[in-house]
Amino acid sequence: MFERLHLPMLVFLFCVCTTTLSYAQHMVSGVVKDVTGEPIIGANVVEKGTTNGSITDIDGKFSFSISKPVVTLSVSYIGYQPQDYAYKGQGSVIITLKEDLQNLDEVVVVGYGVAKKRDLTGSVASVKGEKLQETASLSAVQAMQGRAAGVTIIQTSAKPGEEASIHVRGNRSLKATNEPLYVVDGIPIVVGLNELSPSDIESVEVLKDASATAIYGSRGANGVVIITTKRGDSGYDQVEFSANFSFSRIANRVKVLDAYTYANYINEGRSNSYNYYDNVNYKDPEYTGKWYYTATNPDGTKYGTYKPSPEDFLTPGYRTDEYGNSTLVGASDWQDMIYQNGFSQEYNLSVSGGSEKGWHNFSGNYLDQSGIIKNSGYTRIALRANLGRRINSWLEMGMNTSFTHTDTDFAKTSAYDYGVIRSALIFPTTHDPSEDTTTSTETSWLASNPVAYINSSKDHLKSINVFNSSYAEVKLFPFLKFRQNLGVSYTNNNRG
């Protein structure tokens, strides 16, 4: 009896052991600290080359499963140098991160001068130009989104060329503007940053506290955004070219009744009105499927029009009677007729260089953006020249000139009565796009034909902006400089 059970028992134990081994997991645990021994909360610990990882808890501890007993752990945290740790199955580990002192040595622009981050006493948010170009943003303001603490950037509209709004530490006024003061290369500007390409920016500093008013007066009450454009670096001339492409589409469309369902709905409403409300005996429903004649010609022919039935909208087209009268039966999906997939293309070309005697930077930008509503779009052509010369050891002069030409085709979306999107949602789907509905008392009070509007209405804005800033800087003493800035701006807008 024992010998007959011996072999099956061995097979069973082998299967159990194999199953147990196949489900074995490798775990790694440890703690992340700084050089002083304090635990780091919220550090990212990831198995290198995978998305498998964890975040340290309040005690700096972490624990997660790994794919094999020997792996490389990638540890990172803001303000500290990232580190790769070789884990070889030694149990709980201690990983020490060092502070990233290089970030503290970055130079930022603060009002009249510059300072290192470690020496700042005011509240300043700084974003470098390299960060602005990490995303395919169409304007400098959009590129700043999520990159400056205490700075809220609100995109109020998806219209092509629409400029975002910047709020520094929230709204400060109920009626007055909350926009900050914009300063480009030391000169305050009255226009926004839509005309400035992100590829032309060296750095952006945002002054957020009361020190901004000490430098710029009441204009800096909502904060100050200081833009420094690129110069040429010493060495050989550099030629840079970049191209960005992006697509956009409406995420969700509002479901509305099609023509057949809408006609049945209207007929049912008339029937219910008679039965349950006003007891008015309507002779016919709204959509009857009958011809109605208004005049008889001397030859016996009649002039009339056809009122379609709900079933007629299943097969749109012309209906003709024995007298030769024709009536168009149309069914329209207005949203499908006004929306399109948006597409934008941007090209940047720059030539820069410099030496110990000066620098130069020439750049050009072309942007073409089509909106998600047909016949809406935005085009920008921008040219910029930044020149500087060190005349001698105590005198430096420079000039920054820019020219921007923009063309904007607007789609009327914000109007309460004749907005394109509103009309596409509530305008009856039982009309053909080619019908002239402006004289119909049934629909003219309600909304406009959205297709007729985008095809016939023109709202075009042509804008030209020229900006020039020049300066002369005299070094009086090693610790004292005198700088004179001169800025000239010209803007011409033509809308029609």
Side-chain angles (χ1 to χ4, degrees), residues 303-353:
Y303 174 78
T305 57
Y306 179 71
K307 277 194 171 184
S309 67
E311 289 72 19
D312 285 323
F313 294 107
L314 298 176
T315 57
Y318 282 94
R319 301 295 189 270
T320 305
D321 67 353
E322 65 271 19
Y323 303 113
N325 297 304
S326 293
T327 299
L328 176 62
V329 177
S332 302
D333 183 346
W334 300 116
Q335 294 183 76
D336 186 61
M337 293 178 179
I338 68 167
Y339 290 135
Q340 65 179 3
N341 290 332
F343 175 72
S344 67
Q345 52 184 333
E346 183 183 24
Y347 305 94
N348 299 287
L349 177 65
S350 67
V351 179
S352 62

Side-chain angles (χ1 to χ4, degrees), residues 375-380 405-412 453 456-464 492-496:
N375 296 335
S376 65
Y378 175 77
T379 303
R380 179 182 68 203
H405 178 276
T406 61
D407 285 300
T408 308
D409 290 310
F410 295 97
K412 191 176 183 182
Y453 175 82
S456 61
S457 179
K458 302 297 181 183
D459 189 359
H460 181 79
L461 172 64
K462 179 182 292 185
S463 178
I464 296 176
N492 182 19
N493 297 320
N494 186 5
R495 187 167 185 173

Side-chain angles (χ1 to χ4, degrees), residues 229-244:
T229 58
K230 288 183 177 179
R231 295 182 174 185
D233 297 326
S234 298
Y236 294 102
D237 284 358
Q238 296 182 355
V239 179
E240 297 182 5
F241 174 80
S242 64
N244 298 318

Side-chain angles (χ1 to χ4, degrees), residues 37 81 112 118 124 152 174 240 253 362 435:
Q81 297 177 2
Y112 291 130
R118 65 169 72 249
V124 179
T152 303
L174 296 177
E240 297 182 5
R253 298 187 181 185
F362 303 96
E435 288 186 42

Side-chain angles (χ1 to χ4, degrees), residues 27-31 61-64 73 87 90-94:
M27 298 294 296
V28 60
S29 62
V31 61
K61 297 180 180 180
F62 65 91
S63 177
F64 61 94
L73 302 178
Y87 178 77
Q90 60 267 44
S92 183
V93 297
I94 298 177

Side-chain angles (χ1 to χ4, degrees), residues 13-304:
L13 292 176
F14 176 77
C15 293
V16 171
C17 293
T18 303
T19 304
T20 304
L21 290 174
S22 64
Y23 284 94
Q25 292 182 339
H26 304 287
M27 298 294 296
V28 60
S29 62
V31 61
V32 179
K33 299 182 178 181
D34 59 15
V35 292
T36 63
E38 292 294 326
I40 298 178
I41 305 172
N44 292 313
V45 185
V46 182
E47 180 183 345
K48 192 171 184 179
T50 70
T51 58
N52 183 32
S54 177
I55 298 177
T56 58
D57 59 16
I58 193 172
D59 297 320
K61 297 180 180 180
F62 65 91
S63 177
F64 61 94
S65 60
I66 53 180
S67 59
K68 49 188 177 182
V70 178
V71 296
T72 300
L73 302 178
S74 295
V75 187
S76 62
Y77 187 70
I78 298 176
Y80 291 83
Q81 297 177 2
Q83 180 180 342
D84 287 343
Y85 184 88
Y87 178 77
K88 301 178 181 179
Q90 60 267 44
S92 183
V93 297
I94 298 177
I95 303 175
T96 303
L97 296 183
K98 298 180 180 179
E99 291 185 4
D100 191 354
L101 299 179
Q102 181 180 358
N103 287 335
L104 298 178
D105 290 330
E106 289 182 357
V107 175
V108 297
V109 180
V110 284
Y112 291 130
V114 297
K116 291 185 177 181
K117 279 188 175 181
R118 65 169 72 249
D119 299 327
L120 288 177
T121 57
S123 180
V124 179
S126 178
V127 182
K128 295 302 178 183
E130 296 82 4
K131 294 293 184 181
L132 298 179
Q133 298 183 56
E134 289 181 353
T135 57
S137 300
L138 303 180
S139 69
V141 178
Q142 292 180 1
M144 289 175 57
Q145 284 185 313
R147 301 186 183 277
V151 179
T152 303
I153 298 177
I154 304 172
Q155 189 72 40
T156 57
S157 173
K159 299 176 183 176
E162 187 75 7
E163 188 166 359
S165 177
I166 297 181
H167 292 175
V168 179
R169 290 186 172 175
N171 295 334
R172 297 169 181 251
S173 175
L174 296 177
K175 295 184 178 180
T177 179
N178 290 287
E179 288 289 315
L181 174 67
Y182 299 104
V183 179
V184 178
D185 291 329
I187 303 296
I189 60 175
V190 294
V191 296
L193 300 180
N194 242 22
E195 291 78 12
L196 192 59
S197 171
S199 62
D200 289 332
I201 296 177
E202 180 69 27
S203 65
V204 179
E205 279 76 34
V206 183
L207 309 185
K208 299 183 292 183
D209 58 7
S211 63
T213 59
I215 302 174
Y216 297 100
S218 60
R219 294 183 299 174
N222 294 329
V224 180
V225 178
I226 302 176
I227 309 292
T228 303
T229 58
K230 288 183 177 179
R231 295 182 174 185
D233 297 326
S234 298
Y236 294 102
D237 284 358
Q238 296 182 355
V239 179
E240 297 182 5
F241 174 80
S242 64
N244 298 318
F245 304 94
S246 62
F247 295 88
S248 61
R249 60 173 298 175
I250 186 169
N252 295 298
R253 298 187 181 185
V254 179
K255 294 182 179 180
V256 298
L257 300 179
D258 58 25
Y260 170 74
T261 309
Y262 177 79
N264 280 315
Y265 165 76
I266 294 298
N267 286 349
E268 184 178 350
R270 279 209 168 192
S271 175
N272 291 337
S273 179
Y274 167 72
N275 293 327
Y276 305 110
Y277 181 59
D278 53 11
N279 291 324
V280 175
N281 185 15
Y282 295 104
K283 184 177 181 180
D284 286 319
E286 179 68 22
Y287 298 95
T288 60
K290 299 180 180 178
W291 284 93
Y292 293 86
Y293 299 99
T294 57
T296 302
N297 298 320
D299 58 358
T301 60
K302 296 181 180 181
Y303 174 78

